[in-house]
Amino acid sequence: MPTLISVILHTPAHSNMAGALTYLSDQPLCPGTLVRVPLGQRELLGVVWDDPPHSVPIAIDPARLRMIAAALDAIPPLTPAWRALIDFAANYYQRSTGEVALAALPPQLRDLNTLQLSRRLGKHATDSADVQPSSASNDSDLIALTTEQARAIGQFHTYDGPCLLFGATGSGKTEVFMRCTSELLAGSEHAQALVMVPEINLTPQLEERFKNRFCPHYGQSAVVSMHSGMAPAQRLKSWLAAHSGSARIVLGTRMAVFAAMPHLQLIIVDEEHDPSYKSHEGARYSARDLAIYRGRLEGARVMLGSATPSLESWYHSRPAAEGGRYLRIEMPSRVGASLSAQGGLPLVRRVDMNHQPKACVISPPLLQAITERIARSEQCMVFLNRRGYAPVLQCTDCDWKSECPHCSAYRVFHKIDRTLRCHHCGFTERVPRTCPTCGNLDIATVGRGTERLEEHLEQLLSEVKRPDGNPVCMVRIDADTTKLKGSLESQLARVHSGEVDVLVGTQMIAKGHDFRRITLVAAINPDSALFSSDFRAPERLFSLLMQAAGRAGRDASNTHRSEMWVQTFHPTHPLFESLKRHDYPAFAKSQLVERQTAGMPPFSFQALVRAEARTQETAQAFLNAASQASAQMPNAALLLKHITLYSAVPMSIQRIANIERAQMLIESHSRTALQRFLNIWQTVLRTTRSEPQCKGLIRWAVDVDPLLI
Ligand code: ADP
Ligand code: ZN
Ligand code: ZN
């Protein structure tokens, strides 16, 4: 006699199948079991979710119930804690459970048929049987901890809740992470640790450090990676290793927060302030916030680390007496820094661009400084947050500009292949010979990107020689030069080997990399973020500049003090004053005061609804109609008392690929109130969609705790 089971599938969030579906099975299956089930003509991967329903739900005709196709019971069921995490994430970020759960599983689980999968599982079992862990980890043969590191680890053990390791760049945070992991693994036979980094590019470096440290003790498969750049087969392998418990350490990007790890006891979030932890498609989750939640759910310790924490985490780590819930642990000095000024951090020099030759890109004193560094065989890094050659082309006669016909944005001029490329929709054309509007031959570039900066620097440094008499060697690293697989690695290797004198690039080069020989870092034009309408822009700029400064002088044996140069028209701006003193706490304090006065996060909670439609009117009409309809929701008066719904406005880039975009901000002083509102309002959004004035609406999505407004 078959039994009923309820199964979640990857069904669209806004469909009416968003909940669990009921199927029949020959045998009872415990929640968390992976199954294959028929849906229409297709067969899909699903997960048995809740306890079996006692009876067929009223809405379903019992005669139409279908049998599951297969139970993948060679894979242990997903744990209750994992399912609770998925349930929470789906509910909090306003998506369906099935969507979040299935997106958190490796794609090959969906794609392989049962036979292929059982072969894979057999292979996995033999692979992990190979593991011959030697003696347990023994830290006594390792480098001695610095006083600050030892104290940090001590503090970590004094507190059960989340910790924020606030450590300067180069203060040895990674070593602290590895020690905490090592203690955990040595102390418990099965314990697992999850270590997250913001960018795929940073995983190889970290993976190498962790593998070198842990594989000799725990076997080759003890450390696995998990990120979207991996081949599907590799990803499945890592996932199975984590889920079976044979992997003791999982290193990954934001998606790894959902890794199935039955013995998870420690979660580390490195560079916790990094915006990459926030997903910008599907469920727009924050992996950092979910890490905190997961830690509580599983009784695992959580350690966030950063030299420039997010203001949210900074605020949560205020003294407990003032309501802080995280323990703040400080490591202000760089490893190996003698008692030199500011713990061995670089000297920050501001160049007042108001007093430099007009239209100069690299100011004379900066050029002089770069030249001197090259003469001493030191490396320089120059960054600019814009790729391509020039952000706009313009006719010198009429008012033609290189607008994208499909977006409300300019197409960027790329000199290397003489194209105009839209960085939003990808639309690419050869540069016109003459102005498309008036036929003028004279088309001028406006502004500059990294490609032009590199060209300009090459000219400026053409007469300069390295100590060995050779010309200056320059390399550019940005999204354009690193498209090919392996090209980033090979370019970085050239920097590390010392072959390169000057590294030019976008913010890509400013983060995380452990460059040992760079002693000068320069930000060419960071001013725009100072006056952005996005209230988080200063926070992002400050952390980017601090991170960039952190790339300079990581080798304390350099005799000349390293420098961070900032070219700005606003040298006395408080942000640069704090930067000069490497004073994140002062910067955070002033920002928090501003945010509190303005009632911004972390003093309020926000959600955005974004709508896309053929016309801007439709997109806005949908949002405004849903906003008005909220007054008719059950308990509306009570709910809306704590909620502010703003009017719909066009998004900052209003049109991409001929689709108009609008957004609406929702704010509350209470997270709970906002959640309660959003949960009920989902239905309103769904019904509003079918109203006549919303014809032409393409899609909408809710973004809870949005980072970009
Ligand atoms: P962070 O992550 O804080 O920027 P890292 O962990 O990368 O810093 O450490 C910076 C450098 O210092 C690394 O090269 C690391 O190997 C080295 N280091 C860390 N801890 C120690 C220590 N206790 N003794 C000597 N060198 C150390
Ligand atoms: Zn013209
Ligand atoms: Zn475009």
Side-chain angles (χ1 to χ4, degrees):
M1 169 75 182
T3 59
L4 296 172
I5 56 168
S6 74
V7 177
I8 53 158
L9 303 172
H10 193 165
T11 44
H14 305 318
S15 74
N16 46 12
M17 291 195 312
L21 302 181
T22 306
Y23 283 89
L24 292 169
S25 161
D26 276 338
Q27 73 214 49
L29 293 172
C30 87
T33 307
L34 292 165
V35 288
R36 274 179 189 289
V37 297
L39 185 75
Q41 301 299 311
R42 293 180 303 161
E43 193 180 292
L44 298 178
L45 179 71
V47 186
V48 179
W49 209 244
D50 314 300
D51 287 325
H54 294 299
S55 55
V56 180
I58 303 171
I60 298 177
D61 173 3
R64 296 187 57 195
L65 278 181
R66 297 172 77 176
M67 289 291 287
I68 62 165
L72 309 179
D73 42 14
I75 300 177
L78 293 152
T79 61
W82 188 84
R83 283 179 286 123
L85 174 71
I86 298 290
D87 274 330
F88 171 80
N91 185 52
Y92 187 82
Y93 294 104
Q94 307 291 316
R95 310 297 290 198
S96 76
T97 310
E99 181 189 4
V100 177
L102 275 295
L105 296 172
Q108 272 208 337
L109 272 185
R110 293 198 293 259
D111 302 341
L112 295 184
N113 65 35
T114 316
L115 183 68
Q116 291 168 317
L117 199 61
S118 63
R119 276 201 212 114
R120 269 318 140 75
L121 288 173
K123 188 159 176 315
H124 170 72
T126 38
D127 281 358
S128 6
D130 285 346
V131 179
Q132 288 300 329
S134 67
S135 64
S137 173
N138 178 1
D139 276 347
S140 60
D141 55 349
L142 301 171
I143 44 168
L145 292 175
T146 65
T147 321
E148 287 184 3
Q149 286 170 329
R151 198 179 52 210
I153 295 171
Q155 281 178 282
F156 173 70
H157 290 307
T158 62
Y159 188 69
D160 278 340
C163 293
L164 172 66
L165 181 60
F166 169 51
T169 49
S171 61
K173 293 187 287 296
T174 315
E175 184 60 37
V176 171
F177 299 153
M178 290 200 289
R179 276 315 157 100
C180 293
T181 307
S182 163
E183 288 175 7
L184 174 74
L185 300 201
S188 155
E189 202 188 334
H190 297 294
Q192 293 177 299
L194 170 62
V195 183
M196 291 199 285
V197 284
E199 307 238 356
I200 293 180
N201 301 333
L202 297 176
T203 47
Q205 215 175 18
L206 192 76
E207 190 176 327
E208 194 184 299
R209 283 175 79 173
F210 271 80
K211 283 204 156 140
N212 288 342
R213 174 76 59 95
F214 292 100
C215 291
H217 299 295
Y218 297 101
Q220 274 312 309
S221 66
V223 181
V224 300
S225 292
M226 231 176 247
H227 56 76
S228 59
M230 290 164 70
Q234 201 58 38
R235 210 162 127 184
L236 177 62
K237 196 172 162 202
S238 291
W239 186 86
L240 287 169
H243 182 45
S244 69
S246 68
R248 306 288 303 277
I249 301 172
V250 174
L251 305 175
T253 51
R254 64 172 179 254
M255 63 187 280
V257 77
F258 292 117
M261 299 175 72
H263 308 293
L264 181 63
Q265 287 189 26
L266 173 66
I267 308 178
I268 289 163
V269 185
D270 193 11
E271 313 288 5
E272 67 86 28
H273 62 277
D274 198 291
S276 317
Y277 282 119
K278 174 91 170 154
S279 165
H280 34 250
E281 61 200 9
R284 286 154 175 81
Y285 63 89
S286 155
R288 183 235 302 151
D289 295 351
L290 285 180
I292 298 282
Y293 186 85
R294 186 170 187 182
R296 206 167 55 202
L297 199 62
E298 309 224 21
R301 297 296 317 275
V302 181
M303 173 139 60
L304 311 177
S306 177
T308 53
S310 62
L311 287 175
E312 281 79 4
S313 299
W314 185 252
Y315 181 64
H316 291 320
S317 68
R318 66 198 185 278
E322 293 166 29
R325 294 180 290 114
Y326 303 176
L327 177 68
R328 189 183 296 166
I329 301 174
E330 307 196 10
M331 296 206 301
S333 323
R334 278 191 161 178
V335 174
S338 51
L339 292 173
S340 62
Q342 296 177 323
L345 289 165
L347 176 69
V348 176
R349 313 196 58 161
R350 293 161 292 181
V351 182
D352 185 347
M353 294 305 275
N354 298 296
H355 298 137
Q356 300 301 321
K358 211 169 172 309
C360 87
V361 179
I362 304 282
S363 59
L366 174 57
L367 183 62
Q368 176 68 25
I370 292 176
T371 311
E372 282 167 17
R373 300 273 161 179
I374 295 171
R376 288 204 298 265
S377 293
E378 296 172 13
Q379 295 176 311
C380 301
M381 181 175 112
V382 183
F383 78 96
L384 175 66
N385 251 346
R386 197 165 239 169
R387 64 193 170 89
Y389 190 85
V392 187
L393 284 191
Q394 189 176 25
C395 171
T396 52
D397 246 16
C398 72
D399 57 4
W400 179 84
K401 286 198 177 96
S402 57
E403 266 159 8
C404 174
H406 311 296
C407 306
S408 50
Y410 294 114
R411 279 177 299 164
V412 176
F413 172 46
H414 289 255
K415 192 173 179 184
I416 186 151
D417 53 2
R418 300 205 62 81
T419 54
L420 285 178
R421 283 189 227 157
C422 175
H423 288 181
H424 301 286
C425 73
F427 181 66
T428 302
E429 270 181 341
R430 299 270 308 161
V431 171
R433 275 180 212 293
T434 58
C435 168
T437 311
C438 73
N440 176 15
L441 280 170
D442 203 6
I443 303 182
T445 52
V446 184
R448 73 190 57 239
T450 43
E451 198 186 343
R452 188 172 186 185
L453 179 64
E454 181 191 26
E455 185 186 274
H456 185 61
L457 266 169
E458 262 164 8
Q459 283 161 3
L460 290 175
L461 297 170
S462 59
E463 301 297 315
V464 177
K465 295 271 182 290
R466 305 164 51 124
D468 62 10
N470 284 320
V472 174
C473 173
M474 206 174 294
V475 68
R476 169 163 62 95
I477 299 187
D478 57 28
D480 294 317
T481 65
T482 53
K483 257 187 243 140
L484 295 177
K485 199 170 161 59
S487 56
L488 176 66
E489 290 75 12
S490 64
Q491 283 166 324
L492 288 174
R494 289 179 62 205
V495 181
H496 288 300
S497 75
E499 177 193 338
V500 170
D501 304 298
V502 180
L503 171 60
V504 177
T506 52
Q507 59 172 348
M508 231 173 129
I509 55 174
K511 288 190 197 173
H513 299 285
D514 194 9
F515 298 119
R516 308 303 297 176
R517 301 163 67 149
I518 287 182
T519 61
L520 182 151
V521 172
I524 296 307
N525 180 16
D527 282 351
S528 60
L530 298 176
F531 308 101
S532 165
S533 61
D534 182 343
F535 71 92
R536 281 196 176 84
E539 178 183 353
R540 280 196 298 273
L541 175 63
F542 189 81
S543 89
L544 178 64
L545 294 177
M546 287 280 277
Q547 287 295 321
R551 298 314 109 213
R554 292 176 73 84
D555 191 342
S557 63
N558 286 315
T559 38
H560 293 273
R561 185 159 182 206
S562 58
E563 292 175 343
M564 161 87 195
W565 286 64
V566 177
Q567 297 194 144
T568 170
F569 288 94
H570 308 276
T572 58
H573 193 286
L575 190 149
F576 296 133
E577 297 281 353
S578 301
L579 181 74
K580 172 135 189 96
R581 297 191 307 269
H582 300 278
D583 195 350
Y584 170 81
F587 170 75
K589 192 171 173 194
S590 69
Q591 285 286 307
L592 283 173
V593 168
E594 275 180 34
R595 299 250 187 118
Q596 186 159 26
T597 316
M600 298 282 197
F603 302 97
S604 67
F605 301 90
Q606 298 180 325
L608 268 186
V609 206
R610 302 200 178 92
E612 298 184 355
R614 288 282 162 224
T615 68
Q616 183 63 220
E617 294 73 52
T618 312
Q620 292 193 20
F622 164 71
L623 295 173
N624 289 330
S627 167
Q628 272 150 24
S630 65
Q632 266 84 59
M633 295 182 336
N635 288 330
L638 204 64
L639 278 171
L640 289 169
K641 210 164 73 187
H642 305 286
I643 303 287
T644 310
L645 287 149
Y646 291 85
S647 302
V649 291
M651 285 177 63
S652 59
I653 299 171
Q654 182 179 331
R655 185 170 50 106
I656 290 185
N658 294 321
I659 291 174
E660 289 285 338
R661 299 139 35 99
Q663 67 181 32
M664 189 161 97
L665 181 64
I666 303 150
E667 217 170 57
S668 175
H669 58 89
S670 147
R671 199 192 280 281
T672 322
L674 183 63
Q675 273 301 304
R676 220 173 271 151
F677 171 79
L678 291 175
N679 284 337
I680 301 175
W681 195 46
Q682 275 289 350
T683 325
V684 176
L685 281 163
R686 240 172 280 159
T687 37
T688 307
R689 180 182 191 153
S690 48
E691 283 174 17
Q693 80 260 39
C694 303
K695 198 162 175 282
L697 182 78
I698 296 165
R699 62 179 84 85
W700 88 88
V702 180
D703 185 351
V704 182
D705 305 330
L707 280 189
L708 290 171
I709 294 193

